[in-house]
């Protein structure tokens, strides 16, 4: 009887542990889901900035977040650094894309170059444009839209020079 119960225990232990871990994982997932629901409810209850124009919206956001001018200057510096880092990363990934395609001709070079490094370059370029938008919003002290930012006559100077 001792050998049979030992063998049964050896064979059943992984399945018992699997069931136990599955129950614990289910509880963690349920807890995380509840936290997400709470965050969603808080976000829905958060007041929306109601303003007449972009400048008033920025000032309302400035007051609501209790920013100081020094914090805004530091935030602008951080946004500019991030924009330049994304620009450098974009150029590096574009160079890697062309290098991989040049040195590894064929399907492997194309797949790795275009889908690996090329996609990374596109993502970094999009983030660079987003940071340039944030920078111009801070400079103008107005919450301009992305479309209005793209339509600005100094778009490229905001993107590459400032």
């Amino acid at each position: 009887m001792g050998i049979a119960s030992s063998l049964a225990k050896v064979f059943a232990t992984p399945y018992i542990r699997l069931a136990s871990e599955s129950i614990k994982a289910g509880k963690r997932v349920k807890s995380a889901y509840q936290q997400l629901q709470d965050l969603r409810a808080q976000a829905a209850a958060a007041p929306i900035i109601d303003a007449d124009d972009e400048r008033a919206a920025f000032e309302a956001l400035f007051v609501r977040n209790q920013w100081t001018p020094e914090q805004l200057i530091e935030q602008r510096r951080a946004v500019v650094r991030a924009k330049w880092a994304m620009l450098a990363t974009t150029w590096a990934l574009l160079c890697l894309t062309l290098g991989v395609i040049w040195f590894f001709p064929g399907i492997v070079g194309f797949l790795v170059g275009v889908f690996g490094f090329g996609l990374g370059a596109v993502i970094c370029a999009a983030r660079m444009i987003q940071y340039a938008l944030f920078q111009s919003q801070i400079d103008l002290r107005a919450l301009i839209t992305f479309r209005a930012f793209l339509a600005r006559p100094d778009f490229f100077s905001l993107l590459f020079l400032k």
Side-chain angles (χ1 to χ4, degrees):
M1 190 63 125
I3 294 176
S5 65
S6 296
L7 283 175
K9 186 177 180 182
V10 166
F11 287 121
T13 300
Y15 299 107
I16 293 171
R17 182 175 293 152
L18 177 66
S20 165
E21 292 296 323
S22 297
I23 291 170
K24 289 178 186 176
K27 289 179 182 178
R28 287 192 301 263
V29 167
K30 186 176 179 180
S31 172
Y33 179 74
Q34 184 61 40
Q35 288 175 349
L36 284 175
Q37 293 294 63
D38 294 343
L39 287 174
R40 183 179 290 173
Q42 288 175 359
I48 296 173
I49 296 175
D50 188 24
D52 297 331
D53 62 346
E54 293 92 1
R55 293 189 190 279
F58 185 87
E59 294 304 324
L61 183 67
F62 188 83
V63 169
R64 185 175 82 182
N65 289 333
Q66 299 173 350
W67 288 334
T68 63
E70 294 81 22
Q71 288 174 331
L72 196 61
I73 290 170
E74 187 58 36
Q75 190 172 7
R76 185 190 181 283
R77 282 189 197 128
V79 166
V80 169
R81 277 189 232 119
K83 179 184 80 167
W84 286 109
M86 286 295 123
L87 179 64
T89 306
T90 300
W91 283 114
L93 287 172
L94 284 175
C95 291
L96 283 172
T97 300
L98 294 175
V100 166
I101 291 172
W102 181 268
F103 288 112
F104 300 104
I107 192 72
V108 174
F110 181 76
L111 290 176
V112 171
V114 173
F115 291 116
F117 298 122
L119 185 61
V122 169
I123 291 170
C124 288
R127 294 293 290 186
M128 180 187 63
I129 294 170
Q130 182 184 21
Y131 289 135
L133 170 64
F134 294 159
Q135 177 187 353
S136 66
Q137 286 177 343
I138 293 171
D139 289 342
L140 298 172
R141 291 184 69 93
L143 291 181
I144 60 173
T145 62
F146 183 68
R147 187 173 292 192
F149 175 67
L150 290 177
R152 290 182 57 88
D154 60 343
F155 170 72
F156 287 105
S157 68
L158 290 172
L159 202 59
F160 297 115
L161 298 177
K162 293 183 179 182

